[in-house]
Amino acid sequence: MSDLLSTLRRRVELADGAWFLPGAIAESAPDLLAAINFVASVSPFRTLTTRRGGRLSAAMTSCGTHGWHSDRSGYRYLEDDPLTHRAWPDMPTLLRDLAGRVAGEAGYPGFVPQIGLINRYAPGARMGLHQDRDEPDLSAPVVSFSLGLTARFLFGGLERDAPTTSVVLEHGDAVVWGGASRLAFHGVSTVRPGHHPLTGAFRYNLTFRII
DNA sequence: CAGTTACA
DNA sequence: CCAA
């Protein structure tokens, strides 16, 4: 897609500093799936536990300098994958470049992601409202890509009780939130059964962060 | 509280 | 399904 057309693409502001970019990464979807498969071949998808013994329904893996992890010690970023006891896979150049481009389209120029967290949702999986607050550097936005099955994305405010707005995230969509929305609560409703020609019975979400 | 569960 |  040309730079001209990408500058003309539709943008919807969900909240102050939070942008929904429909179709922003659609053209790169096959290459993104290949990148996901590479990451998972080094650091496989795994199901994480919460501090109190619950289990996250979305399977996760990471790439880049650190990976996001949760267990009985809580949430944190780790330099090494506790599953493989080795470094997380390098972030594929395509992911870094695409996340930077999409951040720029949302008004956050110069974004060079350090970490890519990949969430895999089978039908029935969900993600409760939460904040991305494990990053010491909150000046950078969070960039999110959606691939495969559709899901309803909930975007709230700075307190858990604040009302949420929702958008349906489809294959190829992106969301970027930063600035006044950087610590906004967000989540994903239960993914419904379905089939996607590229991803089969899965939804993939990639979130790019700087810590 | 990125969770599950009990009950109106 | 929502409140806790």
Side-chain angles (χ1 to χ4, degrees):
Chain A
M1 183 65 73
S2 71
D3 289 342
L4 174 60
L5 281 181
S6 63
T7 62
L8 295 175
R9 215 191 291 277
R10 188 163 69 99
R11 304 186 301 177
V12 180
E13 192 166 27
L14 302 176
D16 186 8
W19 291 92
F20 170 41
L21 309 172
I25 57 156
E27 299 82 12
S28 303
D31 293 331
L32 288 169
L33 258 298
I36 290 170
N37 288 333
F38 159 72
V39 172
S41 75
V42 178
S43 282
F45 283 100
R46 81 292 307 267
T47 302
L48 303 179
T49 59
T50 61
R51 193 194 297 268
R52 291 168 59 170
R55 288 195 93 76
L56 303 185
S57 54
M60 300 183 173
T61 187
S62 294
C63 60
T65 64
H66 298 67
W68 189 81
H69 188 69
S70 175
D71 59 20
R72 277 137 212 146
S73 301
Y75 307 145
R76 62 203 183 279
Y77 286 99
L78 296 176
E79 281 192 33
D80 293 307
D81 181 351
L83 192 61
T84 65
H85 306 289
R86 306 194 59 166
W88 300 91
D90 288 335
M91 185 183 300
T93 305
L94 169 72
L95 300 190
R96 191 189 340 269
D97 292 350
L98 208 47
R101 195 203 82 193
V102 168
E105 291 178 17
Y108 300 97
F111 179 69
V112 181
Q114 184 180 353
I115 295 164
L117 171 61
I118 307 175
N119 293 169
R120 188 187 68 190
Y121 296 78
R126 44 170 273 124
M127 185 69 73
L129 278 186
H130 67 280
Q131 297 169 296
D132 291 8
R133 54 176 302 168
D134 303 314
E135 304 78 26
D137 178 6
L138 296 174
S139 66
V142 174
V143 174
S144 165
F145 295 170
S146 291
L147 294 168
L149 298 182
T150 289
R152 181 166 292 276
F153 181 61
L154 306 171
F155 200 85
L158 300 182
E159 297 179 4
R160 186 179 293 278
D161 295 339
T164 58
T165 58
S166 79
V167 289
V168 174
L169 294 184
E170 299 181 314
H171 183 259
D173 291 346
V175 181
V176 180
W177 62 97
S181 290
R182 177 58 181 75
L183 289 177
F185 278 87
H186 57 282
V188 176
S189 299
T190 306
V191 172
R192 303 184 60 166
H195 180 272
H196 188 278
L198 235 52
T199 69
F202 289 116
R203 168 177 189 263
Y204 293 96
N205 176 257
L206 302 91
T207 53
F208 300 94
R209 303 103 180 267
I210 293 174
I211 65 172

